[in-house]
Amino acid sequence: MNKDILRILEELKSGKLDSIAAAQKIEEKFILNHDEFHIDTHRRERLGFDEVIYGKEKTINQLESIIKLYLEKDLRFFCTGLDNLKIDTLTKQFGSNVTFCRKSGTAKNFEYPPCKFKKTVGIITAGSSDAKVAYEAHETLKVLGVAAKTYIDVGVAGIHRFFKYSEDLKKHTVLIVIAGMEGALSSVVGGLFPQPIIAVPTSVGYGTALGGFTPLFAMLTSCANGITVVNIDNGFGAAMAAFRIINCLPEAQNDR
Amino acid sequence: MNKDILRILEELKSGKLDSIAAAQKIEEKFILNHDEFHIDTHRRERLGFDEVIYGKEKTINQLESIIKLYLEKDLRFFCTGLDNLKIDTLTKQFGSNVTFCRKSGTAKNFEYPPCKFKKTVGIITAGSSDAKVAYEAHETLKVLGVAAKTYIDVGVAGIHRFFKYSEDLKKHTVLIVIAGMEGALSSVVGGLFPQPIIAVPTSVGYGTALGGFTPLFAMLTSCANGITVVNIDNGFGAAMAAFRIINCLPEAQNDR
Amino acid sequence: MNKDILRILEELKSGKLDSIAAAQKIEEKFILNHDEFHIDTHRRERLGFDEVIYGKEKTINQLESIIKLYLEKDLRFFCTGLDNLKIDTLTKQFGSNVTFCRKSGTAKNFEYPPCKFKKTVGIITAGSSDAKVAYEAHETLKVLGVAAKTYIDVGVAGIHRFFKYSEDLKKHTVLIVIAGMEGALSSVVGGLFPQPIIAVPTSVGYGTALGGFTPLFAMLTSCANGITVVNIDNGFGAAMAAFRIINCLPEAQNDR
Amino acid sequence: MNKDILRILEELKSGKLDSIAAAQKIEEKFILNHDEFHIDTHRRERLGFDEVIYGKEKTINQLESIIKLYLEKDLRFFCTGLDNLKIDTLTKQFGSNVTFCRKSGTAKNFEYPPCKFKKTVGIITAGSSDAKVAYEAHETLKVLGVAAKTYIDVGVAGIHRFFKYSEDLKKHTVLIVIAGMEGALSSVVGGLFPQPIIAVPTSVGYGTALGGFTPLFAMLTSCANGITVVNIDNGFGAAMAAFRIINCLPEAQNDR
Amino acid sequence: MNKDILRILEELKSGKLDSIAAAQKIEEKFILNHDEFHIDTHRRERLGFDEVIYGKEKTINQLESIIKLYLEKDLRFFCTGLDNLKIDTLTKQFGSNVTFCRKSGTAKNFEYPPCKFKKTVGIITAGSSDAKVAYEAHETLKVLGVAAKTYIDVGVAGIHRFFKYSEDLKKHTVLIVIAGMEGALSSVVGGLFPQPIIAVPTSVGYGTALGGFTPLFAMLTSCANGITVVNIDNGFGAAMAAFRIINCLPEAQNDR
Amino acid sequence: MNKDILRILEELKSGKLDSIAAAQKIEEKFILNHDEFHIDTHRRERLGFDEVIYGKEKTINQLESIIKLYLEKDLRFFCTGLDNLKIDTLTKQFGSNVTFCRKSGTAKNFEYPPCKFKKTVGIITAGSSDAKVAYEAHETLKVLGVAAKTYIDVGVAGIHRFFKYSEDLKKHTVLIVIAGMEGALSSVVGGLFPQPIIAVPTSVGYGTALGGFTPLFAMLTSCANGITVVNIDNGFGAAMAAFRIINCLPEAQNDR
Amino acid sequence: MNKDILRILEELKSGKLDSIAAAQKIEEKFILNHDEFHIDTHRRERLGFDEVIYGKEKTINQLESIIKLYLEKDLRFFCTGLDNLKIDTLTKQFGSNVTFCRKSGTAKNFEYPPCKFKKTVGIITAGSSDAKVAYEAHETLKVLGVAAKTYIDVGVAGIHRFFKYSEDLKKHTVLIVIAGMEGALSSVVGGLFPQPIIAVPTSVGYGTALGGFTPLFAMLTSCANGITVVNIDNGFGAAMAAFRIINCLPEAQNDR
Amino acid sequence: MNKDILRILEELKSGKLDSIAAAQKIEEKFILNHDEFHIDTHRRERLGFDEVIYGKEKTINQLESIIKLYLEKDLRFFCTGLDNLKIDTLTKQFGSNVTFCRKSGTAKNFEYPPCKFKKTVGIITAGSSDAKVAYEAHETLKVLGVAAKTYIDVGVAGIHRFFKYSEDLKKHTVLIVIAGMEGALSSVVGGLFPQPIIAVPTSVGYGTALGGFTPLFAMLTSCANGITVVNIDNGFGAAMAAFRIINCLPEAQNDR
């Protein structure tokens, strides 16, 4: 149950609020009408996770407005896609209320929830330049209450590095495979492991890497069966997809 | 346990075979050395599913060779990506031993296994022209022992058609969403349902549909979170990805 | 009738000007010969709207020259596509004679005309990042004497947000639908509403959004019939297209 | 009012049908449940036009099923995108009940409605190779009760041919401009005429015409303001867009 | 005859130089061996024009080296493709010996030669944003001794502007047509004028203008016959092509 | 003076025709109104060459109509872009009145005119697979009264083959260079010869030849200055461009 | 020394031929002048290998002419890129003099030379659909006197198949790696082996395999260092590149 | 034998280290476990060369971490792809221990090894703007102990410049050909020289040079046989490929 609604309803019962005021308060919490944003506060109820702000496309001004709104309404938000410049600017204004993470380019105004699932996610990158995407995925999963472990720089050019982690990788319920350049890692992982595999192409590489389109296309046409793919550099999306899987397990449905 | 191995070992025990002959027979079963194919018979053990032949890129001659080989060795195969011409030609030669399905473009030489999982997959297409891709996914899931239901022609241009099935779709553990043209259906589904969603772009459409690249790109950049995508027209791949999810559920691991 | 011409002709009649001077003045008003610009002052008469300067491709120097020219000749101009840097620089020089609008990136040297048409335009965006394009369209329509209403952040990922506005949207004569990423909103709108729909793809999104080409192609191949499309981020063009429609209504032709 | 519903209701009143049978009949008329098609019979009421079948992507078998269904249910359909081969095959089976038009690649099972609107549409092509697209647009408009006139082969290479028709073109409420190769015609038309202009790029041309993408991109980036564009070769879509405009005129709303 | 060689040979004859020194001097003039440049000083003799430095791809350091070299060797150079930053830096060092032109982005260390040909070139641009490319072409022609006239902002959106110059344009032997966006101007010019036409696409425009590829492709697939095209923004190349034509006229061959 | 007009006017003077009949006859000759074609019979007067039919995009039916029309009106036509199938079909019907040429894919209903110009064109191909494009250019020039010589298979892989023809190539006024694959030949020719050079990329090659786009782009970005380019496989366009040059020479203007 | 020249010179010495006849014969052997071909018979001397005819782009007629020419002149040729249709047609005419190989799509009119080099080439394919490209490379190497071994269907999806051949692959001097789809095999091979590696992308795959461009780009941006790449499906080119390496070994230079 | 291992083993023998400490030291040398990097120190042994850091994609922070690690562990590294900004920053911190080279954008912490091979590499560039890529290749070869010579600005536009170096180029065992724009140089070199040729496309050029994709595609579809290609601007990769060839020569295998 949503605690905010409970509190409002109790205030109604106790006479602190009349019905109309209570209805208004509930609506306020769930249909935040702001000039430029329609915050979908029902999403948590409907899909099982919170509103997420995608910070890459928003201007500093838009980010300031929306963060202020959330803080005023006392609502939780998680923001991804922040570069260092945005983090610098926003830290000055909101540093005391919001936690910023440079490694993953994210921000949030709440503590990590306790881990809600027994199942875990393994996050693997081909190179060290792919690290930021992995951290975004890892941070997203922590915010969603999912435990994960990250393995960086284990690509196929030195395939023995990869085999070292084989036993460890078998234990995770879902694998996120992150690679730029030719994106070959997902084919190797897909050929060796039976779990659900979410491949994330990255924009690492130059020339024929095509800003991430070559690993994207390579992962989609992989000779290993049943690999699924998300957008370029989309660590957040991969984590959300992993969450959808973890969350549909019977265990998950009982535990929440 | 693999029954073929058991049978060979029992023949060894009963004296019907000596050790060397038994070893040869086992190797034959698992490392099929043919001139142009290295059939990966370990895959079933490793990943939990059988070898699948992708028929689209193979010539009639190659298909004939590989099917003959499988039939001689008395092994199970499942073949996808067959057009009507290939089915016509192959039916003449193998019609009595192999079952061909024109609607899905597949062939197999065994009965459907019993349904092995309680969890089910919902397969939705935007238009009736996307049907063949849905049937390929459905057929693949049946072969893997997964129950599925297919919903055809429920795209967003007449969005009320889609809402009619809402309740039904909520019951499936995994949703496969198949759409060509602008591929908008996956965004609507992704915004409404919390399950794992595997989107399949199709080559239906002309001009700016770009032979399926427009729905592919649209699905990858969907405003709904956590949608994953497979290659254009790849109904088989979507089914394999759904299988990887169904198969990683605790229930699945106990039941097999 | 054009008032400037009337005034000149009256000055001719009153003896203030002789024929040659009057002819020169008229020509000056209508064929402005400048070194680098041929200002098409007939356009207002011919197409029903004023000259518009597209500011994105012009340098600050070119913009300064053309604005100076217009101010000297006492002619009306409307300028679009100005970024903050250009607005900053031009404001210093022309701030007292020209009105700049940062939200829409536009400038003009005249008051909004009174609303000339009974019919209205509805402007809808999928996300809050699409707002600037919507404001450019809105500003353009106001300059043309067309009333409009803007609805921001009502995309398909939370489709209930969209349905909230259904009744309101039905009242507009023309709908402008603005969306980036996968551009699915125009298909949903096109399937539900019978009005003329002008879709504007935006460059919002990353990776497979292709800088706006994915929503562009998606809108052009929409499963909803009769949707038309303008260039990426072209809020001005969409407004002009809406104006062409509003302007061809019998009402419009009588009222002007 | 829909006549079919009226008839059913009168049969109910007269006792010919009981309530349940009547409800079934109404549902049959409006939610046609067929194995692979969900025919959207509400569309006529909602958008003001009948169901349209896009024949290009459908197989002969699918077309046969859907046409049979429509004929059995005694409903009106209009089908576009038929090549000569499909027309030949379908004519053999349905020739007595369905009218096929080779020039425009269309089929229908009803008479042209009387012209419902005073306003007309002008359809212009740049070359004679663009004719089929123009005929598809013309046929679609006739089916929708809109009068149109087609002007073929009046492109810009011999621009005097175009000027010959200037006076005539001014009289139409909407102009559809169809051009392949470099698509320059829409810029010239857009610069000279104030009406709503719907540009249709065609796949006429070779090499750098890019199968229609060059005129598509050229039309979208036209120096003439307020031109809107539909998909390559999409004469049907252009007609639907013209219909949306004609249909939103006050006159239209009164007359229907 | 090359004057430098003549002078050296006369110094040889007069005893000022011995044979070896003379040979060295001649070689120096014609095979300039520098660490990173092989200056092709034969080109003037062979092709009829001087060495041209393309400044866009070269670093400031490379430009400084090569300009110094030319000044030391007392040779003529013409440099194109200089942005304002490069011109600022180079002006400080070479301002007294080299003439820089910002409008066309060029530099040279010699006076314009007298006009060597009776025939002239007309340079037309569609918009005022295309002006820099026109100035580069004009400057190049002046350096080559060819008279030209530039007509800016006479595009097809207001086609009456274009017709005003018809008589004037007929007098030029070669026409250079410069246009961005949809590049339609070259088709109109090509349909009206019989001269050699060199079309230059520009990077003016956004979205579907594709940085100049849309006008490039449009010009190459023009419905007007016999138009030739050069690279995007390549005003220099268009001038060189015009020079090749002017230069092959009998008159030219006699006059030099 | 056009002889047809002269003849009609003489018939008028002699009383054979009255004024109205004469006017009709003249109009018939110059504004051929056919259902689908507007034949531009003024073109010969305006541009100095005849109407050319581009046969590639036209159907057999369209070609038959237009050829019939020309034959009935007793007018000259030249048709390009005919494949063998079209030539076979048209030969049956028009073989006695029209001359077809398979090597160049052209047809015409008149004798070659006598050579009208002293200047000649050299046509060079890199490979033997480029021959058809060269023959189309050659045939077009012959029809226009221009003498040409064709040099086939002299590409850069064996550059000594090319040098063999150096002296010969110097004598032509214009050079047409035809190459597929990497299109390097035009750079070598452009570096060695001072004449106007028209480069034609061909669709010869596979994979990264991109159906002719690689040589197209290579020719446009050639390191040799002043090369101009036409569309892929456009031998006709190259010949027209050469004709525009030859035709603007003083000699040409006197001789006609 | 070339034996043909030796024989001619001996005939000269013995009086069988006079000088002029001998010169003619030599020229005939080395500068074959045919209407459409300039056979580069010097190539063998210059590069160490014979003329190769690329049959894919040539018509049956062109192939017939060139083969006839070679047979008449009694010269050796090797032809690649023949599909079954061409082989069928040519076999009828030349079956007794020319050897055709369907598996590799090649033809030749001579016996394989003896193996000229101690060093060998290993040819590896990822899938069985890549076999034809491997056979083309193998056949080319045999014709050049280079020993090779082919390993088919050892891709990364079942990476244990690949490791089985590790020891064997180490013995080859050059490795040719052939793969379609995502082309991952070359990265794995490149990371494990120190030899020169020539990667050949193939057109095997669909959708995002982009007809071979995805493996092409993947191989070029491989995380393994020093891999080189040839055109899509270019087995012949890979063999030629391997030959260039084998041929530059000291051994090779001594042995020839 | 690796000297570090030898030294550790000797310390073990002499009692300076016990077995466990020795094992730890060896592991440390060969499996450097750092948070974000898995340094593959086996590579030197396995492939015959040291670890190479690709600096282009790494942040300053990542570069600082990895360089520090290498310096602490006393291991050799070679870093490429550094721009001037990175070199400036890193020089401040590591200037005394690391040698930076601006011309080639590289860094290393060791002396050049003595030249290990008799065979040499020729590096040729088409233009002076391609120089940095050549220097990167040259520097890489020096680090690997391979002698090379660089020839800059010898492209095909002035082909006589190229022929001047013919004799010199024949002496190198491997040729690296570097060209931007249309990339024609590799075809000319490939047609004239029998050695292994590694072509490097560069991003020099604008418009249709496509940032290096045009020379890339041109080199891959070259009419000269057996040319291999690496990624755009990849001087390092070309050097590694040349090293793989030089290193597989018998001489090389004996000498090391």
Side-chain angles (χ1 to χ4, degrees), chain D residues 157 182 187 191 208 217-218 221 223, chain E residues 157 181-182 187 191 208 217-218 221 223:
Chain D
E182 85 280 50
S187 295
T208 64
F217 290 154
T221 188
C223 55
Chain E
M181 301 171 87
E182 85 279 50
S187 294
T208 63
F217 289 154
T221 188
C223 54

Side-chain angles (χ1 to χ4, degrees), chain B residues 212-223:
Chain B
F213 279 90
T214 292
L216 172 70
F217 290 154
M219 286 162 166
L220 285 164
T221 188
S222 172
C223 55

Side-chain angles (χ1 to χ4, degrees), chain D residues 155-160 163 181-184 187-188 190-192 204-206 208-210 213-224, chain E residues 155-160 163 181-184 187-188 190-192 204-206 208-210 213-224:
Chain D
V156 300
I159 208 162
H160 55 291
F163 289 128
M181 298 172 89
E182 85 280 50
S187 295
V188 173
L192 291 170
V204 169
Y206 63 98
T208 64
L210 295 177
F213 279 89
T214 292
L216 171 70
F217 290 154
M219 286 162 166
L220 285 164
T221 188
S222 171
C223 55
Chain E
V156 300
I159 207 162
H160 55 293
F163 289 128
M181 301 171 87
E182 85 279 50
S187 294
V188 173
L192 291 169
V204 169
Y206 63 97
T208 63
L210 294 176
F213 279 89
T214 292
L216 171 70
F217 289 154
M219 286 161 166
L220 284 164
T221 188
S222 172
C223 54

Side-chain angles (χ1 to χ4, degrees), chain E residues 171-241:
Chain E
K171 293 173 193 156
H172 298 293
T173 299
V174 178
L175 296 177
I176 292 174
V177 181
I178 300 169
M181 301 171 87
E182 85 279 50
L185 183 58
S186 60
S187 294
V188 173
V189 173
L192 291 169
F193 296 94
Q195 296 106 305
I197 291 167
I198 299 155
V200 191
T202 73
S203 52
V204 169
Y206 63 97
T208 63
L210 294 176
F213 279 89
T214 292
L216 171 70
F217 289 154
M219 286 161 166
L220 284 164
T221 188
S222 172
C223 54
N225 293 321
I227 291 174
T228 60
V229 185
V230 297
N231 201 358
I232 296 164
D233 289 334
N234 192 4
F236 167 71
M240 291 305 301

Side-chain angles (χ1 to χ4, degrees), chain H residues 18-233:
Chain H
D18 63 9
S19 303
I20 287 161
Q24 266 174 349
K25 282 221 157 183
I26 288 170
E27 180 149 324
E28 249 172 26
K29 279 293 177 208
F30 290 93
I31 306 171
L32 272 178
N33 282 311
H34 177 264
D35 212 35
E36 292 195 10
F37 308 98
H38 286 86
I39 296 165
D40 184 5
T41 49
H42 286 103
R43 188 172 294 162
R44 193 189 206 168
E45 311 307 311
R46 198 170 70 249
L47 296 184
F49 49 84
D50 287 296
E51 173 71 76
V52 177
I53 305 163
Y54 185 56
K56 206 176 198 175
E57 305 282 336
K58 296 205 169 58
T59 63
I60 281 286
N61 289 349
Q62 286 183 315
L63 287 169
E64 286 173 351
S65 306
I66 201 167
I67 290 175
K68 239 184 254 166
L69 189 69
Y70 269 96
L71 294 177
E72 282 166 25
K73 297 285 177 188
D74 196 23
L75 289 167
R76 295 171 15 156
F77 74 88
F78 175 52
C79 178
T80 66
L82 299 172
D83 57 28
N84 283 342
L85 190 68
K86 282 179 180 167
I87 289 183
D88 289 346
T89 314
L90 294 172
T91 300
K92 281 176 202 147
Q93 194 172 353
F94 303 108
S96 52
N97 300 102
V98 178
T99 313
F100 294 92
C101 170
R102 274 165 203 280
K103 253 182 21 166
S104 60
T106 60
K108 60 185 177 44
N109 67 337
F110 54 92
E111 297 298 306
Y112 292 122
C115 181
K116 286 187 284 193
F117 307 93
K118 286 186 208 140
K119 302 293 179 183
T120 60
V121 176
I123 303 169
I124 317 161
T125 82
S128 53
S129 304
D130 304 314
K132 192 174 186 183
V133 177
Y135 295 141
E136 184 185 284
H138 202 148
E139 184 74 7
T140 302
L141 286 168
K142 280 167 82 175
V143 160
L144 293 163
V146 179
K149 186 165 171 196
T150 298
Y151 307 79
I152 287 184
D153 198 16
V154 288
V156 300
I159 208 163
H160 56 293
R161 292 183 295 185
F162 174 74
F163 289 127
K164 210 172 88 180
Y165 296 110
S166 285
E167 281 313 303
D168 214 28
L169 292 172
K170 277 185 190 151
K171 293 174 192 153
H172 297 294
T173 298
V174 178
L175 296 178
I176 293 174
V177 181
I178 301 169
M181 301 172 89
E182 86 279 50
L185 183 58
S186 59
S187 294
V188 173
V189 173
L192 291 170
F193 296 94
Q195 294 105 306
I197 292 167
I198 299 155
V200 191
T202 73
S203 52
V204 169
Y206 63 98
T208 63
L210 295 176
F213 279 89
T214 293
L216 171 69
F217 290 154
M219 285 161 166
L220 284 164
T221 189
S222 171
C223 55
N225 293 322
I227 291 174
T228 60
V229 184
V230 297
N231 201 357
I232 297 164
D233 290 336

Side-chain angles (χ1 to χ4, degrees), chain A residues 223-244:
Chain A
C223 54
N225 292 322
I227 292 173
T228 60
V229 185
V230 298
N231 201 358
I232 296 164
D233 289 335
N234 193 3
F236 167 71
M240 292 305 301
F243 174 77
R244 282 178 181 258

